[in-house]
Amino acid sequence: MAKSLDRVLQPDGSYKWEEVEHITEAQQIATACPAPAPVVQPKKEALEVQKETTADFEAMTKAQLETYGRTIGLELDKRHTKAELIAEIQKFTSAN
């Protein structure tokens, strides 16, 4: 960068000529306010799926079983019995 002569105030109140380097506004802002470090947070969906895989299928309703099946990529039909839905989920998860 180009330097120029500028008057600089001294502690005793006098001025002294010095070579100074010009700093643009963008450079002043960048040095005054550095960008914050990015915060990495785990995805909520992954945590929810882990919680549901340990869930007791017998305690879930047919609607909850259908919703759970969709989260793992399985389309279930609520017209089937609860036992059939649980069997389909277990078969699907053991195959993967």
Side-chain angles (χ1 to χ4, degrees):
M1 273 201 165
K3 292 184 177 183
S4 65
L5 283 176
D6 196 10
R7 290 188 329 172
V8 178
L9 180 63
Q10 300 298 308
D12 63 355
S14 64
Y15 287 95
K16 180 179 174 185
W17 290 97
E18 291 184 4
E19 279 189 19
V20 292
E21 200 169 309
H22 288 285
I23 300 175
T24 63
E25 278 187 51
Q27 290 171 331
Q28 289 175 350
I29 293 171
T31 57
C33 306
V39 177
V40 179
Q41 296 178 350
K43 293 184 179 181
K44 293 180 182 179
E45 294 173 5
L47 295 176
E48 291 174 9
V49 171
Q50 289 176 353
K51 290 178 185 176
E52 291 182 21
T53 56
T54 59
D56 182 21
F57 294 132
E58 294 293 332
M60 298 173 96
T61 64
K62 287 171 64 171
Q64 289 172 331
L65 288 170
E66 183 184 26
T67 304
Y68 173 73
R70 286 186 182 152
T71 61
I72 62 172
L74 176 64
E75 188 63 35
L76 297 172
D77 188 356
K78 285 196 294 187
R79 294 177 288 185
H80 292 240
T81 64
K82 185 175 180 177
E84 290 172 342
L85 295 177
I86 292 171
E88 287 183 46
I89 290 173
Q90 290 173 340
K91 181 180 175 183
F92 182 80
T93 54
S94 66
N96 290 338

